[in-house]
Amino acid sequence: MQIKGIVVGATGSIGKQIVADLSNKNITVASIGRDKKKLSELTLQYNNTVGYRCDITNTKNCRLTIKKILKDLKEIDFIVFAHGVG
């Protein structure tokens, strides 16, 4: 059974480390962040990571992103909130 999770704030320093730790344990990670370039770097660095661009301050954008993640990964076992919103 493959474990699958979401990391919100994956492009920040704490989120990036969480993605690294989970990926190194062969956990599939849906990485959510606002910075397209940083998400691309994450997905290149970790094979079992998929990047999703999302502004979590936009409710509609969050709903669409979660629907896309569920469509792509089929199920989610956990969510980690590592975002900072100013």
Side-chain angles (χ1 to χ4, degrees):
M1 174 189 217
Q2 177 64 40
I3 299 173
K4 301 172 187 175
I6 298 173
V7 176
V8 180
T11 56
S13 57
I14 294 171
K16 210 181 306 184
Q17 186 60 54
I18 292 169
V19 170
D21 292 345
L22 293 171
S23 294
N24 289 333
K25 293 182 185 329
N26 275 337
I27 295 172
T28 300
V29 181
S31 299
I32 295 177
R34 286 187 296 180
D35 190 310
K36 189 175 184 177
K37 183 180 176 188
K38 289 180 181 179
L39 283 170
S40 293
E41 291 170 358
L42 265 181
T43 58
L44 288 173
Q45 191 170 7
Y46 303 103
N47 292 335
N48 52 341
T49 299
V50 182
Y52 295 88
R53 191 165 179 272
C54 179
D55 178 359
I56 65 165
T57 64
N58 181 319
T59 306
K60 183 178 178 183
N61 192 219
C62 289
R63 274 196 298 267
L64 293 172
T65 302
I66 294 299
K67 284 182 181 181
K68 174 108 174 90
I69 291 169
L70 289 172
K71 181 181 177 192
D72 293 346
L73 300 182
K74 309 295 183 234
E75 62 182 29
I76 298 299
D77 298 305
F78 65 89
I79 300 175
V80 176
F81 293 95
H83 59 83
V85 177

